[in-house]
Amino acid sequence: MPTYVNPNKCDGCGKCVDICPSDIMRLSNSIFSGRKAYNVEPNYCWECYSCVKECPQHAIDMRGYADFAPLDHKLTVLRDKETNEVRWKLKYRDGSKNEFAFPIRTTTWGSIPSPQSQKTPTNEQFDSQLLSHEPEYLKTDRGLVTAKR
Amino acid sequence: MKTKFVDSDVLIIGGGMAGCGAAYEARYWGRNLKIVIAEKGQIERSGAVAMGLSAINCYMGMRWNENTPEDFVKYVRNDLMGLIREDLVFDIARHVDSTVHLFEEWGLPIVYDEQTKRYKREGRWQILIHGESYKPIVAEAATKAATEVYNRVMITHLLADAEDNNKIAGAAGIGVRDGAFYVFRAKAVIVAAGGATHVFRPRSVGEGAGRTWYSPWSTGSAYALLIAAGAEMTQMENKLVVTRFKDGYGPVGAWFLALKATASNAYGEDYELKYREEQRALYGNYVDAKPFPTCLRNDAMLREIKAGRSPIFIHTEKVLDTREKEELGHEDFLDMTMSQTIVWASQNIDPKKRPSELQPSEPYIMGSHATCSGAWASGPTDLSSGEYVWGYNRMTTVRGLFGAGDTIGGSAHKFSSGSFTEGRLAGKAAVAYIVEGATDKKPLIAPGKVESVRDEIFAPMETYKLGRNMITRGTVSPFYLYPDQGVVRLEKIMDEYVGGWGSYYTTNEVLLNRGLELLGMLNEDLAHLGAENLHQLQRAWELRHRVLTAEAVLRHTLYRKETRWPGYCYRSDFPGVDDKNWHVFVNSRRDPKTGDWSLFTRPYVQLVGVEGT
Ligand SMILES: Cc1cc2nc3c(=O)[nH]c(=O)nc-3n(C[C@H](O)[C@H](O)[C@H](O)COP(=O)(O)OP(=O)(O)OC[C@H]3O[C@@H](n4cnc5c(N)ncnc54)[C@H](O)[C@@H]3O)c2cc1C
Ligand code: SF4
Ligand code: SF4
């Protein structure tokens, strides 16, 4: 609605609360069921799946927007940062199914070199129109072009 | 409540595509500077790229001699009906390839064409990516570059220098988690706070209101912060209407360009060419531009819909003849608009078997797409001249205040890669501004200013506390307005008076003046916003930012007495393109002291020749 949380799976870790770009996942605290996440403002949910992908318990699911998505459908996702693959499972209202898998990254998480680890630029570079890694990363003999004024 | 002071050299507001580029580049050139990002969400998934993207829409391919920056300027100029800042567009184009090559090195999977061994092209400017993790990858680089990232801090105000009101000294905002009042003091500030949705009434209603094509957390902060600080704005009337899959808002790029799908009216007829002569009579030779401008394609579709021959169909069923294509079509949505897949699943639409409906969206305010609203910025010294350059690249008319991405106007078709690139340009320029001694003094904020901004920011919580006890319960109170109620009022005014979808994007002077009156009353009512908690306080300020953005959009629309971008907006009292009088930028400035607006024009300067010259 659009996201909803399965109370039997959620352990109240708060990861969904931390990641949601819309700031709409919340933790409720009840003496009966303990800390559980829920979507506090479904009409500000973009169905972006950020929280779904992040939940370690796979407790969050999506039910398409009530105003135009009929019931009985399912789109579930598994994002694996070890194999760097995202897998989607799709179930239609009429019961038919489809599955897809796509790569998400070609390098190890955390491996990006920081800009401060690059060679210190010269004053000449600083005074030019060049950006970091240029002209090398433009990969063209033309170098950085300028227009005739 | 606690007040937290954060001092830095460079403050970046918004850690989306542009903000991440700014952090990376500022650190590269300013090794010893303190660089701080203030981000309303959580940088790993914040901004319009939260879900990922399936394509990079701005890549020249200069290494394979595919395109030149000159080609790109010609394309963007045509698409925007002859009105762009060619210096800024050229600047993005000449640098953007190095950005994309950097992304690939960082681990973004780019799709290759097995035969040519080049990036697989979706269209002339677009390349295909497996972009589910686009934002987390880019955020990793930015997080390493920045000294500190403050997540969940929404910036509400820019702060001027105590001695020079047209110089920046920092920003203030709300810690949405810790409830603290944040004051950032900085020598240079880069605003990279994205575009604006929910300014116009969305097509979706009720629970689905969050299903706008552009993200619902794009709340116009970029524009409102700058307007309130007295920065000059441009092209705010150039709102964007995108044609998308109906309800789910699935993008059409991969379908039209890579999969070569076609569109038709309800009866299977192609309609786009049919209106060419009617269009020529009003919009002149722009109808001959190749490719056909986005807004004119919308215009043809709207003419067909008004003639009663909708729905408009996109014929996915005619092109998905292999599993490979089926995967490409699905990945397109699974990487960037899962809602569309849900629409298919829930309504039993198998794209291999049935076409889908298309529909033009509600208008959005953006600087990075097939549109270019935003701040008027100084260009690079080797490309720009005259009124286009007054200092540092991408600096606004306020000293030390820079912008990038959706924030900067006049430079359309930047998309994700161009926005990051513009962030890099602004990042380097901000370092130059600091290093070149423009500011050896510490930023100074006027005595009493911090306290008055704090009281203003937290006022909605006080209003709610007081008003809450004067009613039994429920949401109806004569003492305060909830942010949500204000959003709906804003959307209704903009839709009905400023050319939303409900009025077929059409308006005129009388409607606009009435809209301005109603918007003025909404503005007054904003003094009575009530916020139950910190989250609602954030919503209250998001609304304030949307309303100020909306006012700029309205005033610009009123000032431009022609229809420059049919299909995005029509002035029924001036239905044609009027190149003689209006081939100029409409700019505005709101005086921060008095709140008075001035509107004026700036010249268009041609940098790149037309074909054959
Ligand atoms: C569905 C969809 C499909 C798209 N398809 C493509 C495509 O195929 N290819 C392509 O290249 N581009 C595509 N784009 C466009 C691309 O996403 C944008 O051009 C780009 O993200 C703009 O960058 P930006 O940094 O200006 O804004 P954003 O990336 O949105 O970043 C803005 C940041 O500012 C933060 N912020 C906002 N207000 C505040 C505040 N007051 N205080 C602090 N922080 C704040 C936000 O949380 C956000 O992190 C698509 C966009 C969408 C939504
Ligand atoms: S991330 Fe999952 S387990 Fe953790 S609080 Fe959210 S729903 Fe519960
Ligand atoms: S799908 Fe996205 S917007 Fe909706 S609750 Fe999850 S993270 Fe938030």
Side-chain angles (χ1 to χ4, degrees), chain B residues 54-323:
Chain B
S54 69
I56 284 177
N57 283 356
C58 181
Y59 179 72
M60 300 301 114
M62 289 184 284
R63 64 164 143 166
W64 296 306
N65 294 317
E66 291 176 327
N67 295 293
T68 65
E70 289 83 355
D71 298 332
F72 187 66
V73 170
K74 287 177 197 168
Y75 161 66
V76 178
R77 179 171 64 203
N78 276 341
D79 198 54
L80 270 290
M81 306 291 280
L83 204 49
I84 53 163
R85 277 279 301 271
E86 297 192 5
D87 57 332
L88 302 184
V89 175
F90 192 102
D91 201 23
I92 298 287
R94 65 175 167 169
H95 290 290
V96 74
D97 283 10
S98 75
T99 290
V100 174
H101 300 152
L102 209 51
F103 288 166
E104 185 175 27
E105 182 178 291
W106 290 347
L108 178 71
I110 301 183
V111 183
Y112 277 81
D113 185 314
E114 279 170 21
Q115 272 162 6
T116 62
K117 308 272 184 256
R118 299 175 179 178
Y119 294 159
K120 194 178 171 82
R121 282 284 180 191
E122 176 184 291
R124 180 165 178 191
W125 311 102
Q126 299 85 350
I127 55 172
L128 289 163
I129 59 173
H130 298 293
E132 189 279 336
S133 291
Y134 196 176
K135 185 65 210 294
I137 291 170
V138 166
E140 182 184 313
T143 306
K144 282 186 178 167
T147 315
E148 287 165 355
V149 180
Y150 288 83
N151 286 310
R152 303 290 172 194
V153 175
M154 182 192 175
I155 299 298
T156 57
H157 292 67
L158 293 177
L159 301 171
D161 191 88
E163 286 163 7
D164 178 353
N165 245 315
N166 199 42
K167 186 176 148 195
I168 198 72
I174 316 158
V176 181
R177 288 284 184 274
D178 59 8
F181 168 54
Y182 278 85
V183 180
F184 296 90
R185 287 174 298 213
K187 292 177 179 167
V189 174
I190 302 172
V191 175
T197 55
H198 288 279
V199 170
F200 286 81
R201 191 203 325 251
R203 293 263 185 191
S204 299
V205 292
E207 188 184 273
R211 178 94 301 266
T212 43
W213 164 76
Y214 214 49
S215 54
W217 43 83
S218 303
T219 55
S221 292
Y223 313 116
L225 289 170
L226 295 173
I227 293 166
E232 187 174 325
M233 306 300 288
T234 191
Q235 303 271 64
M236 294 303 287
E237 73 281 21
N238 181 207
K239 35 208 176 279
L240 176 71
V241 173
V242 290
T243 291
R244 291 292 178 266
F245 282 67
K246 184 172 179 293
D247 295 335
Y249 279 127
V252 295
W255 293 93
F256 281 139
L257 299 170
L259 293 165
K260 306 268 184 284
T262 53
S264 78
N265 67 13
Y267 309 105
E269 299 154 356
D270 187 355
Y271 58 86
E272 205 169 275
L273 283 171
K274 194 155 96 179
Y275 297 104
R276 210 47 67 89
E277 290 319 307
E278 283 166 52
Q279 289 180 319
R280 186 188 306 282
L282 286 168
Y283 318 131
N285 293 339
Y286 293 106
V287 303
D288 297 322
K290 282 191 185 71
F292 199 44
T294 311
C295 64
L296 292 180
R297 255 184 286 142
N298 280 357
D299 176 69
M301 179 177 293
L302 285 167
R303 285 168 190 268
E304 192 68 3
I305 294 172
K306 278 190 199 167
R309 286 186 286 271
S310 62
I312 304 298
F313 286 119
I314 177 161
H315 292 283
T316 58
E317 81 285 7
K318 292 187 187 163
V319 294
L320 295 190
D321 50 1
T322 63
R323 172 69 188 173

Side-chain angles (χ1 to χ4, degrees), chain A residues 41 47 67 112 130 132 137, chain B residues 25 101 105 144 205 339 535:
Chain A
E41 231 177 351
E47 294 188 343
D67 45 316
I112 296 175
L130 294 173
S132 62
Y137 275 44
Chain B
E25 202 70 18
H101 300 152
E105 182 178 291
K144 282 186 178 167
V205 292
S339 292
H535 177 66

Side-chain angles (χ1 to χ4, degrees), chain A residues 18 20 41 47 53 63 66-68 79 98 105-107 110 112 118 128 130 132-134 137 146, chain B residues 24-25 31 95 98 101 105-107 132 140 144 152 205 207 326 339 347-348 382 424 428 535:
Chain A
D18 186 45
C20 173
E41 231 177 351
E47 294 188 343
K53 291 168 185 169
R63 192 268 282 132
D67 45 316
F68 55 82
R79 177 174 180 263
N98 217 337
R105 185 164 177 171
T106 60
T107 54
I112 296 175
Q118 312 287 334
S128 75
L130 294 173
S132 62
H133 308 274
E134 286 179 354
Y137 275 44
T146 192
Chain B
Y24 186 86
E25 202 70 18
R31 298 289 161 104
H95 290 290
S98 75
H101 300 152
E105 182 178 291
W106 290 347
E132 189 279 336
E140 182 184 313
K144 282 186 178 167
R152 303 290 172 194
V205 292
E207 188 184 273
E326 186 185 3
S339 292
Q347 299 181 359
N348 287 331
D382 66 325
R424 293 173 71 197
K428 183 181 179 187
H535 177 66

